[in-house]
Structures are given as C-alpha cells and as structure tokens.
Amino acid sequence: MSRCAWPLLRRLPVRAGLALRHGTAAPPLRARPAASSSSASSGDGGGASRAPDTSLFVPVPLKPGVSGVASEDVGAELTRPLDKGEVLKNLNKFYKRKEIQRLAAENGLDARLFHQAFISFRKYIMESSSVSADLHIILNDICCGAGKICSLGHVDDLFPFFLRHAKQIFPMLDCMDDLRKISDLRLPPNWYPDARAIQRKIVFHAGPTNSGKTYHAIQRFLSAKSGIYCGPLKLLAHEIFQKSNDANVPCDLVTGEERLFASEDARQAPHVACTIEMCSTNTPYEVAVIDEIQMIRDPARGWAWTRALLGLCAEEIHVCGEPAAIDLVTELMYTTGEEVEVRNYKRLTPLTVLDYALESLDNLRPGDCIVCFSKNDIYSVSRQIEARGLECAVIYGSLPPGTKLEQAKKFNDPDDPCKILVATDAIGMGLNLCIRRIIFNSIVKPTVNEKGEKEIDSITTSQALQIAGRAGRFGSSFKQGEVTTMYRDDLVQLKEILSEAVPPVKAAGLHPTPEQIEMFAYHLPDATLSNLIDIFVSLSQVDGMYFVCNIDDFKFLADMIQHIPLNLRSRYVFCTAPLNRKEPFVCTTLLKFARQFSRNEPLTFDWLCRHTKWPLAAPKNIKELVHLEAVHDVFDLYLWLSYRFMDMFPDAVLVRDIQKKLDDIIQIGVCNITKLIRASQAAAAPGTAEVVSEDFPLARDARVVSDRHGAASPEALSIAVEAAGLRRAKNLRSARLGSRQENLKSYGRGSLANRLLQEGLLTQEMLRQLESEWQDQHRNGRYGLGSKKDDQPNSKETRKKRK
C-alpha cells in the first residue's frame, strides 16, 4: 500500500473488525445520542421501550457515486482500481459473518434491516464508478490480502462504512431515542398546561336515553356567564345554538364547515355550541358540556372526547353519557388531581320490549319506526311500505342535515299523512322524534374495529339501548315506548342484548397531533406522511387507560395525495378532511382540490360549478340521488377547507348558497324515493323485473323475477322486493347464530334444504311450514306442479334412462 495513503487511514472510524479478529468483542457502535437525551442508550433498565416495527422503515434510495471532472477517484490514485469481482466475493463474506450480524443487531439493525441495508450497500459499491477514498483503500486492502496469512485488511473492517450507509438509508436509526420521546403518549394530561393550571369541577350526568341528563347540563350551561357545548353531531350543536339564542343567551355555532354568530357584527359571543373536534382548549369558560362521553372509546373519533375532557379550560366540566363511562372518567380525572361528582338519572317514560315480532309490514301502526343498518334495506323497506298504500319518512346517515330535519318534521307533524319512519341508527342521537314503537329490521350491523378491519356482528347493548330509547320520548304524544323486531327469531336475541349490562368503557382514544408529526418529519425528512404515521404508531407508548385511534382514513388520503407537492402542515390538513373514502367522486374532488392548491391557484366558485356540473336537476332514479348526496359532501368539503385556507377557497358564501339549494333538491328526491326505486327497476331489461339496478347500492341483492311467460307481474315484483330484505336479514342471522347449524344435519349434507338454510334463504320455521303444506297437498292428491298421474310416467321414464 502506498505510504501517502496512511494519513487517510488514520482519520478512519475505529475498525470494529480488528477487535473481532483478536477474539474480543468490539464496543458496539451506537446511534448518535440525541441532544435532548441525558442517557441515550445506557442499558440501565430503559429497555422497557417498545421495539419498533421495522417493516415500516422504508429505505431512502442512494444514487451510486459517479466520477467526473468535479469528483476524481482519489482512492484509485492512491492505490489502484478495484477488481469488482473480488469486491463482490468479499462483500458476500461480510454479509455471512455471524459477528457482523450480531454487531448490526446491537446497533439497531434486526435481520430485516440488516438484509435491506446490505443489499443497498452492495449495490452502491458495485454500481459506483468511484467510492470515497477511505472506503476504496479498505476494499483494496481486503482484496489484496485475500487468502494471505498476513493480510492488510479484513472484511470486518467494512462494518463502519456499512453502518454509515445503513444510517443514510434508514435515518431513523440515528434518532430512535428522539422518535420514541416524541411518540410517547403516556401522559396526555400534560399536553394541556392551561387546563392543569386551574382546579376544575367535574360533574358526570349519567343515565339512559330520554332521562333528562343532557337537559340538566344544558340548564347550567345557559345560566353561566360563558360556556361551551361540545356534541358529536352538527345537528346537536345546531339544536343547542337555536335553544340558547331562543332563550336570549347569545350563542355562536362552530362546526367544521360552518360559523354562525349570534350578533350581526360577528363579535364572538360568550357561549358557543360546537362539534367536539372544533372545541378550543385555550379559551377560558365558566361551564363546559361534553355530550355522549361514552364515545371516548370510539375507534375513529374517541381522541376528540379525550382532548375535550383533559384540555377544556372551564371552571365546571359537565359530561353526559352512559354510566358505563363513569369509572374511566373518574380514573382519568384522578391523574389530573380532579374529583368527579356523579349525578344519576332514570328514564322519564317507560320502555317495553314486546313479546311478539312485527313479522309483516301489514301490522305497522302510526308512530312506528323501522330501524335498518344499511341503505339497501332502507330502499327495500320503504318500497314495500308504499306498496301497501302507506307514506313513510326516510332518514339515513349520508343525507344532508337539512334533509334529515325536514324528514323528522314531516314524521312528527300530526297533520301530515306520513306516520311511518324508516331510518338507520342515525336516529340514535341528534333528532327529536315522536316514535311510539322501534322495530329492528335486523340486529346485525357492519362495523370497523380498532384495527380498521370490517366486521359484521350483533349490535351492542349500548347501541340497542341508544336506538330503542328513542321510542316514547318525554314530552312527545306517546307516553310509553315500545320496541320489537321485524322477525320472530331476532326478538329472543334482542331481549338478551337489552337485558345485558353495558360493558364498562375501558380506554380513551388518542391521535397524533400536527406538532408531533412535524417533529417526526424533522428527523425523517424523506419519509412520506403515511409512513411517518405508521412509524409513530409503531413506536408510540400508551398506558392502560388509552389507545391510539384508527388512522386508516388518514393514511388513505395521505397515500392518495402523496405525489402532489405540498408542505407538511397543508398535507396534514388535507388528510384530516372529513370525507367518506367509499365515495369515489368525493375522493377525486379532494385530489383535484389538492392539485389546484399546490399550484397556488384559488379554487373559485366557477371552478367548483364546472367540476360538479352545477346547476343540478332533481334525481330521476336512485343512482342520481346517491350522486347528489356526494355533491353535497363535496360542498361540505369545500366549506371545511375554506375555514383553514381562506385565501385558496375564497367563495364559501356562494358555495353555502348553492348547498342550500342542493339540500332542497335532495329533499324532493327523498320524498319521492319509492318512485326513484321504481324508475331504477324500469331501467332493467324488458321482460324481467330487477329488484334493483346494477348501478346503485342495491345491486348485490338484485334478483330477476318473472312469471311463467317471462313478464314480470306486480305481485312478483312486490314479493321480490320483500324477499330481498328477508334474504339479507336471514343470511346475516345465519352467519351469526352458529348454534342453528346443528339443525342442518338432519337434512343431509347435499340436500336443497341444507343449501337454502346455509345461504339464509330459508329458515327452520319456513321449512316446517313448507313440510306441513306438502303433507296437506299429498293427502289431497295435489303436488303443486302437476297431478299424481302426471308425475308417475315421468318418474318411470327417469328410471329407464338411469338403467
């Protein structure tokens, strides 16, 4: 080796390989200690920190070195050009050495990261026309000394260079301590110093639906000098806004999409009603009301209740909700040094679970509400009701708030002929309805668990009580509420569900803040926002009273707009936009919003009208109604963004005006929903009557019904519509009630009855009824499709063919 190369080697990092060759362990190479860390990796019991999920670590690509005029190959001048074949052999030896793998593990590289780092390191060296001088000299020494007794270099000498490369492609290795501290979520009360600076009085108003718990909390809210109401829905916030101003208590309204002031000059009123995500944790109040506190366990939105409970700066905090949340709220307040006063309430009107199911829509009475858990069932049931000459109101989650209120007003009006309501569980809160009897069309509901996985399961006791409690509301024309099911088989299970105690709320939701994500991005500038969130959750530590909320929707939007150049804060805001990712039109619009925003081009009213093809006509079928609902969501999205980027979304006033007009158009469609269903059916192929068109959500339940001549009779159509709802309910019940499968054995594995029972198209009750009818017909000599005489020759011919 040239003597002039020796000064370069003296500046190299300590060579771990020298210690390995002499049989002693080299001191492990640690990640650079964080400036804010007093003891980075001391090994004194700090190992309780959570091991990171390294599958989330995305390597940063490094381009191979290229020699040119600007950068000469100094290493080659000092020694000689490298033999890439020999280099490859020695790199593979380096990879296989157990000592190197152990040393890599001590420096944070598990097997997965070690493999990825080595592949990148080898590729970098092999594809580079020149490498750094120190690395070139080491590689030359190793290649020259290969196979010699006294060699100048050893493959272990590559480890410092390998580790340096690994930290370049995995920058999180160099700042793991900082990342763990940022993602430490074990002390949420400390995030709100303003709230900790005062001694708050916590009052828990506990009771079932229709017990007056929220009423008493609101009375204290109205009597206070200043106050804030935090509710889960825009409808609830709007109701409190109206009540307060009607009671001559000036109150503002703040939701994600709307700001309304009590005063004409837009001065801030001392009282405010808001959706819980919009509450301010910096403004002082005398009284704060947090409604539906049990939603602190919600997998997606629970963080908002945690933030309000821990962070509101109010002398009195009045929380309203189920008794199941008392213990958790008490424990959380114990960590803040605050005591909880519990006030229990009982239901104001009796609620009776009937001993019989509805079984047929012919048994409907005025004041009945049929609760479905899918929009498909809403369409099916409402169509069947109108086929019986009855008028019904319809309420489901994706309807605009104004339409929901109008439908509720129509149902509540004693002078309106509409006496039946068909609704989803959206009626569980936010609407005042005069319901005599709640009828569960089904008792299974699709849900999303804490891991973001879709599940179909029986409704919980909490959900059942929330919905059933809407019957017989205090102050309505019905002094007593009733609850039952559509089908007899469901009634037994509903009674069991309602009789069970509501399980206690065990944990409160948390969500990473923009500031925490910004600090993560500072340490990992090349990571995508979706990857930052993944790593944050992987490293996060929470104690037993908290959990990290589901972030799938956030990640979905982050991945969708990743290719658009936005600064981190703007990107974070776009990813927290409230939209349904199942709506392609809304998601596409958000993408266009972000692209236009990135070009610094304001999204004007004219641009929005062109995109949504405004003005829009009243819907002619279900597909058009669904599209109008999506356009309404787009207007909501524009308004939501307009309060966060006022200069880029400047026409909020104009958009709000056309949104009100669109609300009226949707109301027309909902009032004529059965006509829209019929129009969708009429679009089917001639000679058949499809229950639904392939183009709208009922498509998966479509069945073709025709009479013997191919033409669809009205009776057959009505039966088909009713059968669709029956099939869904029975199919879901069959999936849920595993115990019934035992009854299938008596019918044979491959029998038609077995298949129909398994598919949910037939129940045991229906089977018994068919058997009874068949026996009656057999005794009377009738076989349904033909006479006994007709059937006998056919059977003989069949036997002859088999022979």
Side-chain angles (χ1 to χ4, degrees), residues 489 737-748 751 753-754 757-758 763-765 767-768:
D489 293 342
L737 301 176
S739 61
R740 294 186 186 175
Q741 296 302 320
E742 295 298 322
N743 296 329
L744 302 180
K745 296 179 181 178
S746 60
Y747 296 99
S751 69
N754 189 354
L757 284 164
Q758 286 179 329
T763 66
Q764 294 289 347
E765 183 64 25
L767 191 62
R768 283 191 292 269

Side-chain angles (χ1 to χ4, degrees), residues 297-299 448-453 507 547-552:
R297 67 182 165 202
D298 188 83
V448 177
N449 63 20
E450 294 177 3
K451 297 180 181 179
E453 300 166 340
F547 68 92
V548 179
C549 284
N550 186 343
I551 54 170
D552 282 356

Side-chain angles (χ1 to χ4, degrees), residues 216-241:
H216 287 89
I218 294 301
Q219 291 304 113
R220 181 66 188 95
F221 166 82
L222 295 174
S223 65
K225 295 178 182 177
S226 63
I228 179 171
Y229 168 84
C230 308
L233 300 173
K234 288 184 282 187
L235 285 173
L236 284 171
H238 199 277
E239 180 184 347
I240 301 303
F241 165 75

